[in-house]
Amino acid sequence: MTKQLPPEFYELMEQLQAVDFVLVELNLYLDNHPNDSEAIRQFNHYVKERKKLRNAVESIYGPLMHFGHSYSGDPWNWIDAPWPWQV
């Protein structure tokens, strides 16, 4: 039998998915526009929002996997590290 979850769970998950979408899109944008300070500010803002949502979900429903663990410097510095196939 499947455990029935309250509507609040699905509301939090929908918010989390929306923030994840924004983070992926900003990540792709910043890979091509690494000096866009406003986009970096937005990225870091949504990282904070994601952490709040993640903590809310995890404190009630258990752990999740996620993007947005780390902040970026300005300019966008995620592209400076070696890619997985370069290691």
Side-chain angles (χ1 to χ4, degrees):
M1 185 172 182
T2 304
K3 179 181 176 182
Q4 187 65 29
L5 294 168
E8 293 81 14
F9 170 78
Y10 298 101
E11 291 168 11
L12 284 170
M13 290 304 293
E14 187 173 329
Q15 292 173 18
L16 194 58
Q17 289 172 347
V19 169
D20 281 346
F21 178 81
V22 170
L23 286 168
V24 169
E25 291 298 309
L26 284 167
N27 188 45
L28 293 170
Y29 174 82
L30 285 162
D31 283 345
N32 292 296
H33 303 89
N35 296 314
D36 188 333
S37 297
E38 177 59 22
I40 293 168
R41 187 196 63 72
Q42 290 177 18
F43 179 85
N44 289 334
H45 167 79
Y46 282 103
V47 168
K48 288 180 189 176
E49 289 301 309
R50 199 208 186 283
K51 287 183 179 188
K52 288 179 195 174
L53 286 166
R54 183 199 72 216
N55 289 339
V57 171
E58 288 184 339
S59 68
I60 301 168
Y61 304 106
L64 299 168
M65 293 183 64
H66 52 83
F67 292 96
H69 264 302
S70 302
Y71 295 97
S72 175
D74 187 353
W76 185 246
N77 58 1
W78 287 43
I79 58 175
D80 295 338
W83 293 95
W85 57 86
Q86 294 174 316
V87 176

